Amino acid sequence: MKKKPFSAKIILRKEVFEIRAGMDLRSALQKLEIPSQSVLATCNGVLITDDEIIKPNDVIQLIAVISGG
């Protein structure tokens, strides 16, 4: 019987995505089809980069970046 992998959550606006811990944020965003350059990510109120490894039970809040010209 396989053990269920530890998971973490990514929140964008009101959507909550459950993801597998152990991958980097960039890979998780790619799986969710969220362009990494379109969001800022925080974990426990601290800004994190897209090479951050996601740990079990992390809750990552994404903030949409608005750009204009």
Side-chain angles (χ1 to χ4, degrees), residues 10 23-29 41 48-52 54 60:
I10 291 182
M23 68 173 81
D24 62 22
L25 179 59
R26 182 182 309 115
S27 298
L29 292 175
I48 60 173
T49 59
D50 62 359
D51 61 349
E52 184 83 20
I54 298 169
I60 298 168

Side-chain angles (χ1 to χ4, degrees), residues 7-21 28-29 31-34 39 54 58-62:
S7 63
K9 291 184 179 160
I10 291 182
I11 302 170
L12 177 60
R13 297 182 185 94
K14 293 183 180 182
E15 288 189 81
V16 179
F17 306 94
E18 191 163 318
I19 55 156
R20 186 175 40 104
L29 292 175
K31 272 187 168 266
L32 297 172
E33 298 180 359
I34 299 170
V39 293
I54 298 169
D58 274 355
V59 177
I60 298 168
Q61 180 75 44
L62 300 179

